[in-house]
Amino acid sequence: MEHITAGEIGRLTGSIVRQVADFAPWLRKRGFRAGVPETLTALAALTELNLASIDEVCSAFRSIYARTPAEWGIFPTLFEQYFGIREARLEEKRRLQPEDLMGGTGSGENAERPPLEITQGILAGYHPNDGERFALRADGQVLKDVVKLTQLAVRTMDAPRGRKWQSRGREKIDLRQTIRSALRQSGEPFELKMRQRSPDKPRIVLVMDISGSMKPYAPFITSLAWSFTRVRARTQIFLFSTRLLRVTSLIARKGLSGIPYSDLPGLRGGTRIGDALAQLLHRYSSLLQRHTCVIIISDGFDAGHPEQMHVSMRDLADRVGRIVWINPLLGEPGYEPTSVGMSIALPYIDAFVDVHDVTTWKKAVHSGVLRAAP
Amino acid sequence: MNEQVRRLQEELHRSHYVAEEGLATVVHLAQRLARPLLLEGPAGVGKTALAKALAAVRSVNLVRLQCYEGLDASQALYDWDYPKQLLTARTAFTDGAVKQEALYSEAFLIERPLLRALRERPAPVLLIDEVDRADEEFEALLLEFLSEFQITIPEMGTFRASEPPIVILTSNRTRDLSDALRRRCLYFWVDYPTFEQEAAIISLHVPQIAPNLVKQIVFSVRRLRKLSLLKPPGLAESIDFAQALTELGAQELNEEVIRHTLGCLLKTQEDMDLLKERGFDLLWNT
């Protein structure tokens, strides 16, 4: 546990205790959420370990300080850097990759490098700011309004049936509620309680384009994503430029203060919507169900191969209940969705809307954009 | 290697579980520091099997809580025996002595897996399987249990384990788990095994198989994992495949054998179509 006795700590030298105590603040500067409880656990672990075996200590500390696959991958390099046992192994640095690429290929031996693709002869889309990356920061002014509107939007969504729902066409007595009620009346079941439809939370997958061309809309879109984590819905949030990165916990935790560059490892400039959606389909297929509503926020400038975009959109549309595409450019005068990416995606989209501020989001919500067609 | 860790590794091996040194170390620490152990990794790499093997090593019961959407306290912690309560209340009312607090006592309490794990002696291994499938609310419900090994029942008070169970949580990462849950656990990323480890595991589970065929199986399964499959084969699939080949008396991989046994490795039509496109010889040609 997080308690360590004087006897146990007495077996460790002052130097070791100091080094371990300083390790947590050092890790915090590198994005780890390590605190005093972790230090105490690490010291307690040292009393159980063979200190001569540094690999054993590294294994144990890794389990104590690392909390995610990304942290799990980078920890040995950091451990070696801090304790200075040997020179950092360069091959370990490859482990600092987006978490979706870590899944199942954590060891260096198994790591599958992304295929090198060269596309020639197709001008898929172009924007002057393509390639630039930016940190996400929510607009505090609009958050309150956005949350209210998002609550309304989620309430209008079709939620899957809950576990208590009986679909046999007749009402069922809810024995538990009936008896609970009867106990309040000296055990006399005056009132029969019937099972009620208890809808599950709606499932939403939000996929946000953070390529340079989307920069002007980033504060509002971050606010919108943050608002989805505050309403009654099962929401997962992904970012993409050329790769896909799940950021649900980051957005939920840091939506207001903003997400710095260092928290978005592996994302590079440019936009490959088709590739990102393919990663979503393969890595996170369990999120994509009949009741899932996928919301893609992008201007549709796709620099990937059109065939990939076509295949990904087709497969996504087959898999999920509804695809909503939010394109902030749609409100610009004279804009036509004629870019290659956008025109490929359009046939598979259930709703295509302009949302770039509170007013347009309100308009979209009132038009029932998240509600499936009857 | 620490002597105790090495001994644990050997005991796990005798229970048909091959644990690498890092995993054996963290399992040893989880026992010694009384901390829950969170295992994450791809499906089919042996996360659940570790809990079963550990229960066998310690010669204790395995209490399993399978998580799913909508799981709540009445299925995970405890429930009340309502029909019995009703009957007792009616009898008491007839006798003119209704004592409502008596209805919320041990006699009417139904243990669910978490409460059972706290009260059982000797302390069992508690497996909270696929915790990512449960709701966020259920995670919050687990926090008291994971940090203090106790459960509070409002009508009765707090139950605390005098001897905490060994708790193993598994997750396939269908969603992110909360920081609060992660903080309370030791963490281990269970990856696909190395070539040698996988060969050793298959030989352990299917002892009658020829070493040459084991190498071919491991080679082909690792090739499949590198393809962009919807459901890459895990260790369980490798073992199934090896058992199927043994049943059929196959001496080596060839197209006919693969056609008959492909269902052991691939579990979706899309994956099968992809392999047919690439050609079955991908599995045995170097």
Side-chain angles (χ1 to χ4, degrees):
Chain A
M1 299 294 290
E2 292 161 6
H3 309 291
I4 182 166
T5 62
E8 286 169 334
I9 209 164
R11 292 167 53 193
L12 305 172
T13 66
S15 164
I16 290 177
V17 173
R18 197 178 61 251
Q19 279 187 62
V20 174
D22 291 344
F23 189 43
W26 188 84
L27 280 179
R28 278 201 295 274
K29 287 180 187 166
R30 282 146 187 86
F32 281 62
R33 290 180 295 281
V36 175
E38 281 76 16
T39 302
L40 290 175
T41 309
L43 287 171
L46 284 183
T47 63
E48 297 289 335
L49 297 171
N50 174 15
L51 292 184
S53 167
I54 203 64
D55 286 336
E56 193 174 313
V57 175
C58 179
S59 286
F61 277 22
R62 196 182 194 188
S63 296
I64 292 165
Y65 290 103
R67 296 277 182 263
T68 65
E71 291 177 357
W72 182 259
I74 192 67
F75 187 85
T77 310
L78 294 177
F79 182 87
E80 285 172 11
Q81 278 178 19
Y82 180 81
F83 289 98
I85 289 115
R86 62 183 92 123
E87 288 184 10
R89 288 179 297 196
L90 291 176
E91 68 266 24
E92 292 292 346
K93 286 190 175 176
R94 289 209 301 266
R95 292 181 172 179
L96 186 58
Q97 289 175 351
E99 60 176 12
D100 52 310
L101 291 177
M102 295 298 301
T105 57
S107 72
E109 188 190 347
N110 291 336
E112 193 175 326
R113 308 298 297 166
L116 181 66
E117 289 183 7
I118 300 170
T119 307
Q120 289 181 335
I122 299 165
L123 182 60
Y126 171 76
H127 191 280
N129 285 332
D130 263 0
E132 189 183 352
R133 214 157 51 75
F134 52 89
L136 294 177
R137 191 178 294 276
D139 188 335
Q141 295 276 325
V142 302
L143 274 175
K144 201 175 164 188
D145 295 334
V146 172
V147 170
K148 276 186 184 170
L149 287 168
T150 306
Q151 272 170 347
L152 180 61
V154 168
R155 271 204 300 272
T156 65
M157 287 182 75
D158 290 327
R161 287 170 176 170
R163 291 176 51 254
K164 289 183 181 174
W165 176 251
Q166 299 291 313
S167 58
R168 293 175 193 164
R170 60 179 188 271
E171 284 189 300
K172 286 268 178 184
I173 296 172
D174 185 340
L175 193 62
R176 184 177 180 179
Q177 291 302 326
T178 301
I179 294 171
R180 267 191 176 272
S181 158
L183 287 177
R184 285 195 288 272
Q185 297 158 33
S186 307
E188 192 65 47
F190 285 119
E191 191 184 356
L192 287 181
K193 302 274 184 186
M194 296 301 177
R195 289 197 177 187
Q196 300 291 313
R197 183 181 191 274
S198 168
D200 259 347
K201 293 176 182 177
R203 295 180 173 85
I204 297 166
V205 172
L206 203 68
V207 190
M208 304 193 295
D209 180 353
I210 61 154
S211 59
S213 56
M214 290 291 287
K215 187 175 180 178
Y217 313 103
F220 176 75
I221 287 170
T222 311
S223 310
L224 188 62
W226 185 83
S227 73
F228 272 100
T229 66
R230 290 291 182 274
V231 296
R232 192 182 177 278
R234 292 194 173 96
T235 309
Q236 291 295 325
I237 301 169
F238 296 86
L239 298 179
F240 72 89
S241 51
T242 53
R243 293 180 187 175
L244 189 78
L245 186 68
R246 176 153 69 175
V247 290
T248 315
S249 56
L250 272 180
I251 291 270
R253 196 169 58 243
K254 296 185 176 177
L256 281 168
S257 57
I259 303 172
Y261 293 103
S262 56
D263 283 353
L264 303 173
L267 288 175
R268 304 231 169 85
T271 318
R272 287 193 195 149
I273 305 174
D275 288 356
L277 293 179
Q279 287 175 39
L280 181 72
L281 280 159
H282 283 115
R283 295 276 176 209
Y284 302 98
S285 56
S286 57
L287 299 176
L288 307 174
Q289 299 167 0
R290 200 162 48 86
H291 292 292
T292 306
C293 174
V294 174
I295 303 174
I296 301 171
I297 307 177
S298 171
D299 53 13
F301 288 120
D302 182 30
H305 199 290
E307 181 59 24
Q308 178 68 73
M309 179 82 181
H310 170 75
V311 171
S312 299
M313 284 305 296
R314 183 196 63 200
D315 292 351
L316 191 63
D318 281 349
R319 195 81 68 85
V320 303
R322 188 168 175 78
I323 299 178
V324 177
W325 192 297
I326 290 177
N327 186 342
L329 296 184
L330 206 53
E332 301 272 336
Y335 172 78
E336 291 288 335
T338 52
S339 67
V340 175
M342 206 64 257
S343 52
I344 289 173
L346 274 175
Y348 300 104
I349 296 171
D350 297 293
F352 186 46
V353 285
D354 159 44
V355 176
H356 61 273
D357 58 13
V358 177
T359 314
T360 48
W361 179 226
K362 186 175 183 180
K363 194 177 161 190
V365 170
H366 285 298
S367 68
V369 70
L370 297 184
R371 194 186 313 136
Chain B
M1 195 195 304
N2 188 317
E3 180 59 28
Q4 289 167 313
V5 173
R6 194 185 55 75
R7 205 180 309 136
L8 177 64
Q9 218 174 0
E10 286 171 4
E11 285 170 347
L12 286 171
H13 193 274
R14 278 198 288 277
S15 300
H16 286 200
Y17 192 91
V18 179
E20 49 136 329
E21 188 183 339
L23 182 56
T25 305
V26 77
V27 171
H28 169 68
L29 283 179
Q31 295 182 81
R32 297 291 297 170
L33 305 181
R35 294 286 293 261
L37 173 58
L38 170 61
L39 302 175
E40 278 195 318
V45 291
K47 303 187 289 292
T48 304
L50 175 63
K52 290 179 186 169
L54 194 59
V57 165
R58 294 171 64 91
S59 303
V60 295
N61 285 337
L62 174 72
V63 178
R64 180 172 181 165
L65 175 64
Q66 178 66 50
C67 297
Y68 55 86
E69 283 181 11
L71 180 66
D72 63 18
S74 66
Q75 285 121 23
L77 301 178
Y78 65 92
D79 205 356
W80 296 105
D81 188 340
Y82 294 107
K84 197 173 168 185
Q85 278 181 324
L86 183 63
L87 198 62
T88 309
R90 296 272 292 148
T91 312
F93 183 70
T94 312
D95 296 345
V98 179
K99 268 191 173 179
Q100 188 150 330
E101 59 271 20
L103 295 176
Y104 291 100
S105 60
E106 188 72 43
F108 300 95
L109 187 66
I110 300 174
E111 282 182 356
R112 299 294 191 213
L114 297 187
L115 184 57
R116 194 182 139 206
L118 283 190
R119 307 210 302 178
E120 194 170 295
R121 290 291 165 274
V125 172
L126 171 65
L127 169 64
I128 303 177
D129 211 8
E130 301 190 349
V131 68
D132 52 324
R133 290 187 185 276
D135 303 304
E136 288 88 348
E137 293 84 349
F138 180 73
E139 266 186 64
L141 199 74
L142 278 179
L143 296 181
E144 181 190 12
F145 181 87
L146 294 178
S147 58
E148 305 293 336
F149 292 106
Q150 67 179 35
I151 288 173
T152 303
I153 300 176
E155 297 91 346
M156 290 182 72
T158 300
F159 289 90
R160 191 185 174 102
S162 54
E163 184 189 342
I166 306 296
V167 184
I168 293 185
L169 300 97
T170 71
S171 161
N172 291 331
R173 305 185 66 234
T174 54
R175 68 172 176 81
D176 278 347
L177 299 175
S178 70
D179 281 352
L181 182 88
R182 288 178 185 277
R183 270 196 56 234
R184 284 162 171 79
C185 305
L186 299 181
Y187 178 82
F188 198 90
W189 173 263
V190 188
D191 211 340
Y192 291 118
T194 61
F195 191 99
E196 291 74 21
Q197 280 174 340
E198 189 154 8
I201 292 166
I202 291 173
S203 301
L204 192 65
H205 283 265
V206 193
Q208 65 274 36
I209 196 167
N212 191 40
L213 189 55
V214 173
K215 282 182 186 170
Q216 275 195 318
I217 290 170
V218 177
F219 171 80
S220 54
V221 168
R222 288 168 72 85
R223 273 247 167 134
L224 281 177
R225 284 181 196 140
K226 286 182 181 170
L227 297 180
S228 186
L229 297 177
L230 287 176
K231 169 69 186 80
L235 259 175
E237 280 77 18
S238 303
I239 294 169
D240 282 351
F241 188 45
Q243 277 169 342
L245 293 179
T246 313
E247 285 295 324
L248 294 176
Q251 299 300 314
E252 60 171 13
L253 295 186
N254 56 43
E255 180 150 356
E256 191 191 350
V257 168
I258 291 287
R259 276 187 192 281
H260 289 140
T261 54
L262 195 56
C264 298
L265 290 175
L266 302 181
K267 304 300 168 91
T268 70
Q269 187 58 41
E270 290 85 350
D271 289 348
M272 289 196 180
D273 290 343
L274 181 70
L275 186 63
K276 280 175 194 164
E277 269 177 36
R278 297 288 186 97
F280 289 132
D281 59 340
L282 178 85
L283 296 188
W284 63 85
N285 275 352
T286 53

